[in-house]
């Protein structure tokens, strides 16, 4: 680890930023031990390590999953791009420290399953963006995901990305959507089958 007085490294990081090489710049900055967070959104402080992880996530190419996704899930034909766009947002909430999290979308869960099934690539991805494995936990009576995962996902999604798209709502009984969007956890949802991240790793 080097110290903040290494002006050459700071200079290289600034040059990278000025040339829009954001990922390279963040990787350089992450090697500087300044002992504190860097500025982030008003609602949260993002550490340098988190900024690097977000940059890695932003640059990750999910395209290698397409063929297998289309083969395994013909019912979602033509929706791969939508699925991985929302899966990336789900991963982003994990990276910034939201835990536990529910995945109530069958489409997004299909993309997550496809990623998990590419075990070596998924493990490398998790190490790169999370520093450890992101567990995919089917929610059931025998293997529950904490109920607060539901409220966590919907309130934090709105806070970070804005309006929740229909893909995250279409598999929930429509009479329960208003309560979910307020951060509630209707008992009926806890009895449904869905997947999530229990917050380990």
């Amino acid at each position: 680890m080097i110290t903040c007085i290494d002006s050459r490294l700071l200079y290289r990081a600034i040059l990278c930023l000025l040339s829009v090489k954001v990922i390279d710049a963040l990787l350089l900055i992450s090697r500087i031990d300044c002992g504190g967070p860097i500025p982030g959104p008003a609602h949260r402080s993002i550490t340098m390590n988190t900024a690097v992880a977000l940059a890695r996530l932003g640059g990750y190419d999910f395209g290698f999953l397409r063929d297998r996704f289309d083969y395994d899930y013909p019912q979602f034909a033509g929706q791969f791009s939508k699925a991985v766009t929302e899966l990336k947002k789900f991963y982003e909430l994990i990276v910034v420290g939201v835990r536990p999290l529910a995945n109530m979308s069958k489409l997004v869960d299909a993309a997550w399953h496809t990623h998990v099934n590419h075990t070596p690539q998924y493990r490398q991805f998790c190490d790169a963006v999370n520093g450890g494995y992101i567990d995919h936990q089917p929610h059931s009576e025998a293997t529950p995901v904490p109920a607060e995962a539901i409220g966590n996902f919907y309130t934090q999604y709105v806070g970070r990305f804005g309006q929740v798209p229909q893909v995250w709502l279409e598999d929930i009984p429509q009479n329960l959507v208003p309560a979910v969007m307020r951060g509630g956890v209707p008992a009926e949802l806890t009895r449904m089958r869905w997947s999530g991240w229990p917050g380990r790793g």
Side-chain angles (χ1 to χ4, degrees), residues 51-73:
V52 171
L54 289 173
R56 290 172 177 166
L57 175 60
Y60 189 79
D61 184 2
F62 290 85
F64 71 96
L65 301 175
R66 182 186 293 272
D67 287 347
R68 190 69 198 193
F69 177 88
D70 289 343
Y71 179 83
D72 287 342
Y73 302 100

